[in-house]
Structure formats: C-alpha cells, structure tokens
Amino acid sequence: MTEALATDATVYRLFAAAYAVAAVAVLGVTTRLPDRHRKYGYAFVGLFSLTAITSVVWSAGIGAVNGAGIPRLLEDYVAYLGIFAAIAYIGGASRRFIVLTAALMFAIRTFFELGAVLDGALGLAMLAMMLVGFVVLISLLLWLGRQTRGTISESRYLLFWKTRNLLLFLFGMLIIVAVLPLIGVLDGFSGNVLVEYVDLLIRAGFAGFVLNNLDVLDERSAGGAVDLGDTSAAAAD
C-alpha cells in the first residue's frame, strides 16, 4: 500500500511540474498580448498554477478524506465549471444559461466523487447520475450551437464549435478512464496516469484554442445572448 501511494505521489508531482511549466509558458505569452487580452492569459496562468499547487499538496497526502483528494477536487470544480461556463459564453449564451452550464458541471463532478467513495448500488447510482448529467450537458451545448449560429460571427461560432466538440470529447474520455479503475478494468495506478493526462489535455487544449483566437472574443453578438426557452431556429449544428 505504501509503495502504491508513493508511486501515485510521483505521478502527481510529475504532472505538477508539467502544469508549472505550462503556467510559465502562458505567462510569457501573456506579457506579449495587448492590454485588453491579458486578463485571459492571466486567468490561464492562475489555472495552471492552481493545478500545480494542488497536485503537490495532494501528492504529499494533505487533504485526503475517505480516499478523496479534497485539494484537487476543489481545483477540479474551479477548472471545469470555469471552462464549460466559458464555452457557453463563447457560444453566445445568456448569463442564466452560463450559470446552468456551470451548475450542471458541478453536479457531474460531484456525482462522480460520490460514486467513487460509495460502495454497492448507491455508488453505481451516483455514477449513473453522472452519465445522465453528461448527456444533458451535451444536449444543452448542441442546442446552444443550433440557436446561436447566425447570431454570432462566423469566426466566433467556429471557435465555439471547436472548443465545445474538443472539450466534450476529452471530458467523455476522462469519464471513461476515471470509471475503469472503479469497475476493475484498470489498476489504480494506470487509471491515475490516464486521468492526469486527460486532465492536462483538457486544460491545455482549451487554453490553446482561446489564446490563439483572442480577437474573436472582442466580437459582439448580432442577435443578443441566447437563453433557455428561445425557439428561434438557426442552421443545423
């Protein structure tokens, strides 16, 4: 058990180093951005730095409660709520829709954590709820794309389309690799490595898309923000 924990701690430290390198790299990019865009760069510097710090803390065994790493759990909430809320924002969603997207991601992440720590039928029920939540999230973001096409610029829609599809794919992969150890298909160490790797891809992929398309975020919506209940049909997504 001690050897396994030590091996997992090494994985967390290695990925913490990767996040630290990413934070420094993004900081270098941010210093060369126009003033109006630097807030986006600093947000990603903060995200990568927070992930690096919480990974080190978790690797030291600090904040473990019933096998759950509280520091990384809290960081996951910040990262995933922020990332998927930002995707909805890029897609021209209203504030209410953005809040709903973040709340749905909060529920998905919470259901997974409960499924990981609870045994038997209750744990399986939590994992099932997580999957239901993910399907609802996919449906909402697909609906948003159909509604906003034609109301936001083509370049902004393309950024939304790319980030939405990439992040939904990677988050789906994250769910798969996180669940496999719980059902005995993967050992815990392999599962941890894959989860950390996909986590890194999600954060780095989203940062890369946004930082390479910052001018798109300056563009205004032509038709106003899209809210739930809007039925104005747009082109198929």
Side-chain angles (χ1 to χ4, degrees), residues 168-202:
L168 287 176
F169 171 75
L170 289 177
F171 197 79
M173 290 299 299
L174 181 63
I175 289 175
I176 292 172
V177 298
V179 169
L180 289 180
L182 299 180
I183 61 177
V185 176
L186 279 179
D187 62 273
F189 174 75
S190 299
N192 283 339
V193 172
L194 289 174
V195 165
E196 291 298 315
Y197 178 65
V198 179
D199 263 338
L200 177 60
L201 288 180
I202 289 173

Side-chain angles (χ1 to χ4, degrees), residues 112-192:
F112 170 77
E113 200 63 31
L114 291 173
V117 299
L118 296 174
D119 295 325
L122 188 55
L124 291 175
M126 294 299 102
L127 294 178
M129 290 297 294
M130 173 196 66
L131 293 175
V132 170
F134 185 53
V135 170
V136 173
L137 177 65
I138 292 173
S139 301
L140 276 177
L141 292 179
L142 288 175
W143 177 86
L144 177 63
R146 288 193 296 270
Q147 294 299 118
T148 58
R149 187 158 197 179
T151 67
I152 58 178
S153 70
E154 190 64 28
S155 56
R156 182 160 181 160
Y157 176 81
L158 183 60
L159 176 60
F160 165 71
W161 187 89
K162 288 180 178 179
T163 54
R164 180 199 64 188
N165 291 353
L166 174 68
L167 271 294
L168 287 176
F169 171 75
L170 289 177
F171 197 79
M173 290 299 299
L174 181 63
I175 289 175
I176 292 172
V177 298
V179 169
L180 289 180
L182 299 180
I183 61 177
V185 176
L186 279 179
D187 62 273
F189 174 75
S190 299
N192 283 339

Side-chain angles (χ1 to χ4, degrees), residues 17-104:
Y19 283 114
V21 170
V24 172
V26 173
L27 180 60
V29 171
T30 301
T31 59
R32 297 193 294 272
L33 293 175
D35 289 344
R36 71 182 187 279
H37 289 155
R38 288 185 180 178
K39 60 184 178 181
Y40 301 110
Y42 288 132
F44 287 116
V45 171
L47 175 61
F48 288 132
S49 300
L50 178 62
T51 310
I53 292 169
T54 54
S55 295
V56 171
V57 170
W58 177 222
S59 72
I62 301 172
V65 177
N66 293 329
I70 300 303
R72 278 302 300 271
L73 173 62
L74 295 178
E75 188 277 334
D76 275 353
Y77 280 131
V78 172
Y80 291 124
L81 269 65
I83 287 173
F84 279 91
I87 291 173
Y89 168 75
I90 293 170
S94 68
R95 183 174 301 176
R96 184 170 66 167
F97 191 103
I98 292 170
V99 170
L100 175 62
T101 302
L104 189 54

Side-chain angles (χ1 to χ4, degrees), residues 213-230:
N213 294 275
L214 289 173
D215 288 336
V216 173
L217 299 181
D218 294 332
E219 299 170 359
R220 300 292 183 180
S221 170
V226 171
D227 201 356
L228 293 174
D230 291 347

